Amino acid sequence: MSELFKKEDKRTHYCGALSAKNIGERVTVCGWVQKQRDLGSLIFIDLRDREGIIQLSFDEATPKDVFDLAFTVRSEYVLSAKGVVRARSSVNKNIKTGDIEIAVDSLKVISEAETAPFEITDNTTAKEDLRLKYRYLDLRRPALQKNIIMRHKIAQIAREYFYKNDFIEIETPMMIKPTPEGARDYLVPSRIHHGKTYALPQSPQIYKQLLMLSGFDRYIQLARCFRDEDLRADRQPEFTQIDLEMSFVDESDIMEMVEGFFSELFSKLLDTKIELPIRRMTFRDAMNNYGSDKPDLRFGMQIQDISEAVAGIAFPPFADALASGGSVRAIVAEDGAATLTRKEMDKLTETVRGIGAKGLAYIRWVDAEPSCPFSKFLGEGDLEKITKALNMKQGDAALIVADKNRVVLPVLGQLRNIVARKLDIIKEGFEFTWITEMPFFEYDEETGKWLAMHHPFTMPLDECLPYIETDPENVRAKAYDLVLNGTELLSGSIRITNVKLQQKMFELLGLTDEEIDAKFGFLVDGYKYGAPPHGGAGIGIDRIAMIMCGADSLRDVVAFPKVQNASELMSGCPAVPDEQALADLAVKFTDEEK
């Protein structure tokens, strides 16, 4: 039966913090039972807390009442145990305390436990949905506890680093005025102002700019952000970013500050040295070479343009693409022909069709001569010309896509990652790169308009200012992303502070004076009273933790995550509000919505 926890039951040491240095000491440990082993005259209990596991030992020297109590203990019971640390007769190399144990002479069951719905071990076979339903039990698993603690350490180092670099931590509001940020807002109806809503911030963007106008010079915040968008493995509807802003700086100043943070972070937590400065790559080069603005640089397989080599070939996909102003491009999987069989190529063809391409052409060089399924369209020497242009050798395979560049490049970018995983050529380690000179506008074919790729306060490059109205396609922004192993960790920019230029940008984006005033009037007004040049970034702390922990999903580094449909399986949110709460807000659901 459970007993009350008293002062004398308090621990002196964490289970996993004990070592051979503690041999001979009398200690008190508290935690959960991982397992109990009854060997007749011997009982062993593995006791677990957040720091690890220690073996509790009960034998003929143990007081009988303590031994009998140990016999009744089951998995996940909460115990307080006292005894002397001693060396183990048989060392367990699988745990860090495997060379010691505690000879227990006093034991108390603080709390009993029912049989858990799944085994609480790192190698549990329970499905994720079940583990998320009982997330408080899932979080007892050492691997998840390690991840959450790593996330805490990242936040701790972030604060320490930016504090010592003269940043001031300032909280910004959680309920704000809805403003366009690129995704849908989560809206909060107002009880007092019927018919109006607050929005949960997608980022503290406007507020941190106002803090620069207020003269704080350097701002930092571990900011909670919310975006109502479709979820992926590296995306949650609510997330945390290390939000920062600096005055009287340019892009290089911000990049250098961020690089210092990541250098310190990886050195302290992973004992890994990051080579500084981190390489820089323009958006255009990233797309042309890797088909992505967040390229994974742990392997090669760069995209190659073979448009010249295939010009004049009567293969319709090639000819049609070139005739319409597109291109023919390829990636070469070195020594990949054996793995990328015809059957695999058929699967990859279906994959690329699913992501926007019309099809996939390929060359496999298995035997003495290369072969391809479009050989009947080739003249003498054409295949050799293509393989030479791609610098192929026997054993290689080439995957070719032909279309407009806006289709070819991203399709090959995704295909590059898929093939690399199939060939298992992704190296261990961390490959950072800055992506710079981002396009300022993107063309929306449905509306026929040029839309902002970033928030509307992003500064164009100085040399692009003369043609922001005449040549929007070639306007580049003072915007930058930091990418690690194919994941975007940071996005930031230098901000517009010139009132006339900001007004011009709003107009180019199709906003009327009334819309500008309604959405951004308070910020634009602030610029009229003296604005310093400033810029900043938001660093995704969840994504950093995911990569540093080697996790497959953000769900593995967030304590209580949402699933694909933005619900939380443990608590059952979102939930149906009661009628009175809706009445107070002057909100009513339709019968269909109910």
Side-chain angles (χ1 to χ4, degrees), residues 121-397:
T121 61
D122 286 339
N123 57 359
T124 180
T125 58
K127 292 184 178 179
E128 187 181 41
D129 283 359
L130 179 64
R131 291 188 287 107
L132 289 174
K133 181 178 179 181
Y134 296 93
R135 184 62 167 181
Y136 46 86
L137 297 180
D138 197 32
L139 284 171
R140 292 182 186 177
R141 293 193 297 123
L144 279 187
Q145 291 207 338
K146 181 181 177 183
N147 289 355
I148 299 300
I149 291 171
M150 171 69 88
R151 195 179 183 284
H152 154 74
K153 290 178 179 177
I154 293 169
Q156 181 182 28
I157 290 172
R159 283 195 163 99
E160 292 171 352
Y161 173 80
F162 287 106
Y163 287 173
K164 73 182 180 183
N165 281 285
D166 300 324
F167 284 77
I168 299 171
E169 185 163 9
I170 306 173
E171 292 182 348
T172 52
M174 292 295 285
M175 296 195 300
I176 66 172
K177 183 177 183 178
T179 57
E181 288 270 2
R184 289 180 293 272
D185 286 325
Y186 279 103
L187 300 178
V188 181
S190 171
R191 179 182 60 83
I192 299 172
H193 305 280
H194 286 176
K196 295 184 178 180
T197 67
Y198 303 98
L200 300 181
Q202 294 186 38
S203 77
Q205 184 60 51
I206 292 179
Y207 286 97
K208 66 181 179 180
Q209 290 188 240
L210 288 170
L211 288 170
M212 295 302 100
L213 270 64
S214 302
F216 285 99
D217 193 75
R218 292 188 174 191
Y219 141 92
I220 185 72
Q221 182 184 190
L222 269 63
R224 294 293 285 166
C225 304
F226 307 85
R227 293 182 182 177
D228 185 3
E229 55 190 352
D230 296 332
L231 304 191
R232 298 193 299 253
D234 63 349
R235 183 183 287 173
Q236 282 277 303
E238 50 186 322
F239 57 95
T240 304
Q241 68 182 31
I242 304 168
D243 202 49
L244 64 102
E245 197 81 4
M246 303 169 66
S247 292
F248 304 105
V249 293
D250 59 18
E251 302 101 302
S252 293
D253 296 314
I254 298 169
M255 290 179 176
E256 185 178 340
M257 182 63 66
V258 168
E259 289 175 356
F261 164 62
F262 278 99
S263 176
E264 190 162 313
L265 185 68
F266 276 71
S267 175
K268 287 184 174 180
L269 295 185
L270 298 181
D271 194 25
T272 297
K273 179 178 174 59
I274 296 174
E275 294 297 327
L276 300 181
I278 292 172
R279 80 188 86 185
R280 300 186 186 185
M281 184 186 306
T282 66
F283 175 89
R284 182 171 296 174
D285 286 344
M287 292 302 300
N288 284 335
N289 294 326
Y290 301 99
S292 172
D293 59 357
K294 42 183 180 293
D296 191 337
L297 303 182
R298 291 174 294 173
F299 61 96
M301 212 189 306
Q302 291 190 19
I303 296 171
Q304 302 180 57
D305 191 340
I306 56 170
S307 299
E308 288 188 15
V310 302
I313 292 176
F315 183 41
F318 294 175
D320 292 347
L322 296 178
S324 62
S327 63
V328 181
R329 304 187 189 229
I331 55 174
V332 175
E334 295 184 9
D335 301 318
T339 302
L340 300 177
T341 62
R342 290 182 180 180
K343 186 176 180 180
E344 284 296 322
M345 289 297 193
D346 289 342
K347 292 179 181 177
L348 291 174
T349 299
E350 291 306 309
T351 298
V352 300
R353 284 175 177 156
I355 56 179
K358 296 172 183 174
L360 177 69
Y362 60 85
I363 301 170
R364 297 177 65 245
W365 196 337
V366 179
D367 302 316
E369 298 295 330
S371 64
C372 65
F374 55 92
S375 57
K376 67 179 182 180
F377 295 97
L378 301 178
E380 185 176 350
D382 282 344
L383 186 55
E384 181 183 359
K385 186 178 180 182
I386 297 172
T387 57
K388 187 174 181 180
L390 290 170
N391 199 27
M392 289 181 69
K393 66 181 188 308
Q394 187 172 356
D396 294 348

Side-chain angles (χ1 to χ4, degrees), residues 417-437:
N417 292 330
I418 294 168
V419 171
R421 288 192 291 271
K422 284 183 179 292
L423 300 181
D424 194 23
I425 60 172
I426 302 175
K427 297 182 295 186
E428 294 292 323
F430 303 99
E431 292 291 342
F432 286 88
T433 184
W434 286 104
I435 305 298
T436 63
E437 298 186 18

Side-chain angles (χ1 to χ4, degrees), residues 189 572-585 587-589 593-594:
C573 79
V576 178
D578 62 55
E579 293 296 331
Q580 185 58 51
L582 290 175
D584 290 343
L585 296 170
V587 171
K588 188 174 184 179
F589 291 154
E593 288 167 335
K594 288 180 181 178

